[in-house]
Amino acid sequence: MKGKFITFEGSEGCGKSTQSAMLFRYLLSRKLKVIYLREPGGVKISEKIRELLLDPNSKISPQAETLLYMASRACVVEEIIKPALKQGKTVVCDRFLDSTIAYQGFGLGVDIKLIKLIGNFATQGINPDLTIFLDLPVKSGLKHRVNCRDRIEQRSFNYHEKVRKGYLKLADACPQRIKIVKVQKNKFKTQDNIRKIVDAF
């Protein structure tokens, strides 16, 4: 693949969407060919799966939840990510396979080896070149989401703690790829730290 693949990860309320969009605009300003995506989503089928996964009224088992995320991912990889990387473009994605390992693996107890196996199939072996993990204490993240709780956000504090700890374990295991950025109160300070990492990369 000629292009570069940058992903953003983090627990609820950490500012992933804001920071990833800010980085996307920054890279555009540097005259790079950049594509911006969110997961689950990005293409028609993936957006429909997103609606189902986040609907508070949906009753989905951990196994089905894992497979739905993978199905959504497989679609966006085939339709957008793979072609863009082949064309030498930079892809910035809000969440990717690490999310499934953290949320469904560490959070729900789905076998992590199995997640990685299915994940490799769904992504066609495409892995991020760089992952920005936005770290924020769970209490701080969830207090911003009181009035907009989707199905995942509604889960217990203990669940979200498992997710955050899972991310930290992933970062510890893959320090070359996953860079931890502490979330600051000032979003521009957080973005400055992200840009330093990306510029060096």
Side-chain angles (χ1 to χ4, degrees), residues 175-193:
Q176 291 297 107
R177 174 175 69 85
I178 303 176
K179 305 301 180 184
I180 301 173
V181 175
K182 296 289 184 182
V183 176
Q184 308 292 317
K185 286 186 178 180
N186 185 323
K187 67 181 181 181
F188 296 104
K189 287 184 178 179
T190 304
Q191 180 66 197
D192 284 343
N193 291 332

PDB file of all heavy atoms in Angstrom, residues 175-193:
ATOM      1  N   PRO A 175       3.839  -0.182  21.164  1.00  0.00           N
ATOM      2  CA  PRO A 175       4.251   1.220  21.335  1.00  0.00           C
ATOM      3  C   PRO A 175       4.706   1.912  20.053  1.00  0.00           C
ATOM      4  O   PRO A 175       4.634   3.139  19.955  1.00  0.00           O
ATOM      5  CB  PRO A 175       5.409   1.117  22.344  1.00  0.00           C
ATOM      6  CG  PRO A 175       5.946  -0.276  22.177  1.00  0.00           C
ATOM      7  CD  PRO A 175       4.756  -1.114  21.858  1.00  0.00           C
ATOM      8  N   GLN A 176       5.161   1.133  19.072  1.00  0.00           N
ATOM      9  CA  GLN A 176       5.601   1.738  17.815  1.00  0.00           C
ATOM     10  C   GLN A 176       4.426   2.297  17.014  1.00  0.00           C
ATOM     11  O   GLN A 176       4.558   3.317  16.331  1.00  0.00           O
ATOM     12  CB  GLN A 176       6.356   0.711  16.963  1.00  0.00           C
ATOM     13  CG  GLN A 176       7.693   0.300  17.530  1.00  0.00           C
ATOM     14  CD  GLN A 176       8.663   1.459  17.605  1.00  0.00           C
ATOM     15  OE1 GLN A 176       8.957   1.962  18.690  1.00  0.00           O
ATOM     16  NE2 GLN A 176       9.144   1.917  16.463  1.00  0.00           N
ATOM     17  N   ARG A 177       3.294   1.624  17.112  1.00  0.00           N
ATOM     18  CA  ARG A 177       2.111   2.050  16.340  1.00  0.00           C
ATOM     19  C   ARG A 177       1.149   2.906  17.145  1.00  0.00           C
ATOM     20  O   ARG A 177       0.634   3.914  16.645  1.00  0.00           O
ATOM     21  CB  ARG A 177       1.357   0.813  15.812  1.00  0.00           C
ATOM     22  CG  ARG A 177       0.051   1.179  15.127  1.00  0.00           C
ATOM     23  CD  ARG A 177      -0.617  -0.031  14.511  1.00  0.00           C
ATOM     24  NE  ARG A 177      -1.128  -0.991  15.469  1.00  0.00           N
ATOM     25  CZ  ARG A 177      -2.340  -0.915  16.063  1.00  0.00           C
ATOM     26  NH1 ARG A 177      -3.141   0.099  15.794  1.00  0.00           N
ATOM     27  NH2 ARG A 177      -2.744  -1.860  16.894  1.00  0.00           N
ATOM     28  N   ILE A 178       0.870   2.504  18.380  1.00  0.00           N
ATOM     29  CA  ILE A 178      -0.141   3.193  19.179  1.00  0.00           C
ATOM     30  C   ILE A 178       0.515   4.231  20.083  1.00  0.00           C
ATOM     31  O   ILE A 178       1.306   3.898  20.965  1.00  0.00           O
ATOM     32  CB  ILE A 178      -0.956   2.194  20.029  1.00  0.00           C
ATOM     33  CG1 ILE A 178      -1.615   1.131  19.135  1.00  0.00           C
ATOM     34  CG2 ILE A 178      -2.021   2.935  20.837  1.00  0.00           C
ATOM     35  CD1 ILE A 178      -2.362   0.042  19.900  1.00  0.00           C
ATOM     36  N   LYS A 179       0.174   5.499  19.860  1.00  0.00           N
ATOM     37  CA  LYS A 179       0.720   6.598  20.641  1.00  0.00           C
ATOM     38  C   LYS A 179      -0.362   7.151  21.580  1.00  0.00           C
ATOM     39  O   LYS A 179      -1.450   7.501  21.121  1.00  0.00           O
ATOM     40  CB  LYS A 179       1.227   7.714  19.721  1.00  0.00           C
ATOM     41  CG  LYS A 179       2.244   7.256  18.672  1.00  0.00           C
ATOM     42  CD  LYS A 179       3.490   6.642  19.300  1.00  0.00           C
ATOM     43  CE  LYS A 179       4.498   6.202  18.259  1.00  0.00           C
ATOM     44  NZ  LYS A 179       5.669   5.512  18.854  1.00  0.00           N
ATOM     45  N   ILE A 180      -0.043   7.199  22.852  1.00  0.00           N
ATOM     46  CA  ILE A 180      -0.996   7.693  23.845  1.00  0.00           C
ATOM     47  C   ILE A 180      -0.926   9.208  23.922  1.00  0.00           C
ATOM     48  O   ILE A 180       0.146   9.785  24.114  1.00  0.00           O
ATOM     49  CB  ILE A 180      -0.727   7.092  25.241  1.00  0.00           C
ATOM     50  CG1 ILE A 180      -0.827   5.566  25.201  1.00  0.00           C
ATOM     51  CG2 ILE A 180      -1.688   7.668  26.272  1.00  0.00           C
ATOM     52  CD1 ILE A 180      -0.422   4.883  26.496  1.00  0.00           C
ATOM     53  N   VAL A 181      -2.074   9.858  23.759  1.00  0.00           N
ATOM     54  CA  VAL A 181      -2.165  11.312  23.900  1.00  0.00           C
ATOM     55  C   VAL A 181      -3.154  11.608  25.022  1.00  0.00           C
ATOM     56  O   VAL A 181      -4.333  11.253  24.934  1.00  0.00           O
ATOM     57  CB  VAL A 181      -2.636  11.979  22.585  1.00  0.00           C
ATOM     58  CG1 VAL A 181      -2.839  13.484  22.797  1.00  0.00           C
ATOM     59  CG2 VAL A 181      -1.639  11.725  21.464  1.00  0.00           C
ATOM     60  N   LYS A 182      -2.679  12.241  26.079  1.00  0.00           N
ATOM     61  CA  LYS A 182      -3.551  12.606  27.190  1.00  0.00           C
ATOM     62  C   LYS A 182      -4.466  13.753  26.756  1.00  0.00           C
ATOM     63  O   LYS A 182      -4.012  14.755  26.203  1.00  0.00           O
ATOM     64  CB  LYS A 182      -2.725  13.044  28.406  1.00  0.00           C
ATOM     65  CG  LYS A 182      -1.841  11.941  28.984  1.00  0.00           C
ATOM     66  CD  LYS A 182      -2.678  10.871  29.678  1.00  0.00           C
ATOM     67  CE  LYS A 182      -1.794   9.812  30.338  1.00  0.00           C
ATOM     68  NZ  LYS A 182      -2.612   8.746  30.963  1.00  0.00           N
ATOM     69  N   VAL A 183      -5.756  13.585  27.008  1.00  0.00           N
ATOM     70  CA  VAL A 183      -6.725  14.607  26.605  1.00  0.00           C
ATOM     71  C   VAL A 183      -6.624  15.817  27.536  1.00  0.00           C
ATOM     72  O   VAL A 183      -6.707  15.688  28.759  1.00  0.00           O
ATOM     73  CB  VAL A 183      -8.159  14.032  26.628  1.00  0.00           C
ATOM     74  CG1 VAL A 183      -9.180  15.125  26.308  1.00  0.00           C
ATOM     75  CG2 VAL A 183      -8.280  12.874  25.635  1.00  0.00           C
ATOM     76  N   GLN A 184      -6.422  16.990  26.956  1.00  0.00           N
ATOM     77  CA  GLN A 184      -6.336  18.242  27.711  1.00  0.00           C
ATOM     78  C   GLN A 184      -7.708  18.925  27.721  1.00  0.00           C
ATOM     79  O   GLN A 184      -8.542  18.674  26.864  1.00  0.00           O
ATOM     80  CB  GLN A 184      -5.311  19.175  27.057  1.00  0.00           C
ATOM     81  CG  GLN A 184      -3.942  18.555  26.818  1.00  0.00           C
ATOM     82  CD  GLN A 184      -3.200  18.259  28.090  1.00  0.00           C
ATOM     83  OE1 GLN A 184      -3.190  19.067  29.006  1.00  0.00           O
ATOM     84  NE2 GLN A 184      -2.574  17.084  28.157  1.00  0.00           N
ATOM     85  N   LYS A 185      -7.895  19.825  28.682  1.00  0.00           N
ATOM     86  CA  LYS A 185      -9.155  20.579  28.726  1.00  0.00           C
ATOM     87  C   LYS A 185      -9.298  21.449  27.482  1.00  0.00           C
ATOM     88  O   LYS A 185     -10.397  21.655  26.975  1.00  0.00           O
ATOM     89  CB  LYS A 185      -9.209  21.434  29.989  1.00  0.00           C
ATOM     90  CG  LYS A 185      -9.462  20.634  31.259  1.00  0.00           C
ATOM     91  CD  LYS A 185      -9.651  21.534  32.463  1.00  0.00           C
ATOM     92  CE  LYS A 185      -9.949  20.710  33.705  1.00  0.00           C
ATOM     93  NZ  LYS A 185     -10.140  21.558  34.915  1.00  0.00           N
ATOM     94  N   ASN A 186      -8.179  21.970  27.019  1.00  0.00           N
ATOM     95  CA  ASN A 186      -8.171  22.778  25.804  1.00  0.00           C
ATOM     96  C   ASN A 186      -7.954  21.865  24.600  1.00  0.00           C
ATOM     97  O   ASN A 186      -6.897  21.258  24.456  1.00  0.00           O
ATOM     98  CB  ASN A 186      -7.048  23.825  25.895  1.00  0.00           C
ATOM     99  CG  ASN A 186      -7.050  24.778  24.709  1.00  0.00           C
ATOM    100  OD1 ASN A 186      -7.324  24.398  23.571  1.00  0.00           O
ATOM    101  ND2 ASN A 186      -6.739  26.038  24.977  1.00  0.00           N
ATOM    102  N   LYS A 187      -8.957  21.757  23.743  1.00  0.00           N
ATOM    103  CA  LYS A 187      -8.882  20.821  22.612  1.00  0.00           C
ATOM    104  C   LYS A 187      -7.743  21.163  21.649  1.00  0.00           C
ATOM    105  O   LYS A 187      -7.206  20.287  20.969  1.00  0.00           O
ATOM    106  CB  LYS A 187     -10.206  20.767  21.859  1.00  0.00           C
ATOM    107  CG  LYS A 187     -10.592  22.042  21.131  1.00  0.00           C
ATOM    108  CD  LYS A 187     -11.936  21.884  20.432  1.00  0.00           C
ATOM    109  CE  LYS A 187     -12.322  23.158  19.688  1.00  0.00           C
ATOM    110  NZ  LYS A 187     -13.648  23.013  19.014  1.00  0.00           N
ATOM    111  N   PHE A 188      -7.354  22.447  21.606  1.00  0.00           N
ATOM    112  CA  PHE A 188      -6.284  22.850  20.701  1.00  0.00           C
ATOM    113  C   PHE A 188      -4.920  22.368  21.205  1.00  0.00           C
ATOM    114  O   PHE A 188      -4.033  22.057  20.409  1.00  0.00           O
ATOM    115  CB  PHE A 188      -6.286  24.368  20.512  1.00  0.00           C
ATOM    116  CG  PHE A 188      -7.549  24.865  19.854  1.00  0.00           C
ATOM    117  CD1 PHE A 188      -8.531  25.503  20.592  1.00  0.00           C
ATOM    118  CD2 PHE A 188      -7.766  24.657  18.491  1.00  0.00           C
ATOM    119  CE1 PHE A 188      -9.697  25.937  19.989  1.00  0.00           C
ATOM    120  CE2 PHE A 188      -8.936  25.085  17.878  1.00  0.00           C
ATOM    121  CZ  PHE A 188      -9.912  25.726  18.630  1.00  0.00           C
ATOM    122  N   LYS A 189      -4.758  22.292  22.519  1.00  0.00           N
ATOM    123  CA  LYS A 189      -3.515  21.751  23.082  1.00  0.00           C
ATOM    124  C   LYS A 189      -3.405  20.259  22.768  1.00  0.00           C
ATOM    125  O   LYS A 189      -2.332  19.756  22.443  1.00  0.00           O
ATOM    126  CB  LYS A 189      -3.480  21.987  24.595  1.00  0.00           C
ATOM    127  CG  LYS A 189      -3.228  23.434  24.992  1.00  0.00           C
ATOM    128  CD  LYS A 189      -3.105  23.577  26.499  1.00  0.00           C
ATOM    129  CE  LYS A 189      -2.814  25.029  26.879  1.00  0.00           C
ATOM    130  NZ  LYS A 189      -2.722  25.207  28.352  1.00  0.00           N
ATOM    131  N   THR A 190      -4.541  19.563  22.894  1.00  0.00           N
ATOM    132  CA  THR A 190      -4.558  18.136  22.543  1.00  0.00           C
ATOM    133  C   THR A 190      -4.185  17.967  21.077  1.00  0.00           C
ATOM    134  O   THR A 190      -3.375  17.111  20.720  1.00  0.00           O
ATOM    135  CB  THR A 190      -5.953  17.530  22.803  1.00  0.00           C
ATOM    136  OG1 THR A 190      -6.318  17.742  24.168  1.00  0.00           O
ATOM    137  CG2 THR A 190      -5.959  16.035  22.512  1.00  0.00           C
ATOM    138  N   GLN A 191      -4.766  18.811  20.222  1.00  0.00           N
ATOM    139  CA  GLN A 191      -4.490  18.718  18.784  1.00  0.00           C
ATOM    140  C   GLN A 191      -3.025  19.014  18.475  1.00  0.00           C
ATOM    141  O   GLN A 191      -2.423  18.358  17.617  1.00  0.00           O
ATOM    142  CB  GLN A 191      -5.403  19.686  18.019  1.00  0.00           C
ATOM    143  CG  GLN A 191      -5.214  19.693  16.518  1.00  0.00           C
ATOM    144  CD  GLN A 191      -5.598  18.405  15.818  1.00  0.00           C
ATOM    145  OE1 GLN A 191      -5.212  18.171  14.671  1.00  0.00           O
ATOM    146  NE2 GLN A 191      -6.377  17.550  16.481  1.00  0.00           N
ATOM    147  N   ASP A 192      -2.441  19.971  19.170  1.00  0.00           N
ATOM    148  CA  ASP A 192      -1.024  20.280  18.958  1.00  0.00           C
ATOM    149  C   ASP A 192      -0.155  19.059  19.233  1.00  0.00           C
ATOM    150  O   ASP A 192       0.793  18.777  18.479  1.00  0.00           O
ATOM    151  CB  ASP A 192      -0.593  21.435  19.873  1.00  0.00           C
ATOM    152  CG  ASP A 192      -1.086  22.788  19.376  1.00  0.00           C
ATOM    153  OD1 ASP A 192      -1.469  22.878  18.191  1.00  0.00           O
ATOM    154  OD2 ASP A 192      -1.083  23.744  20.170  1.00  0.00           O
ATOM    155  N   ASN A 193      -0.489  18.327  20.308  1.00  0.00           N
ATOM    156  CA  ASN A 193       0.275  17.118  20.650  1.00  0.00           C
ATOM    157  C   ASN A 193       0.105  16.038  19.584  1.00  0.00           C
ATOM    158  O   ASN A 193       1.051  15.312  19.257  1.00  0.00           O
ATOM    159  CB  ASN A 193      -0.145  16.596  22.016  1.00  0.00           C
ATOM    160  CG  ASN A 193       0.287  17.515  23.149  1.00  0.00           C
ATOM    161  OD1 ASN A 193       1.289  18.225  23.025  1.00  0.00           O
ATOM    162  ND2 ASN A 193      -0.455  17.518  24.247  1.00  0.00           N
TER     163      ASN A 193
END
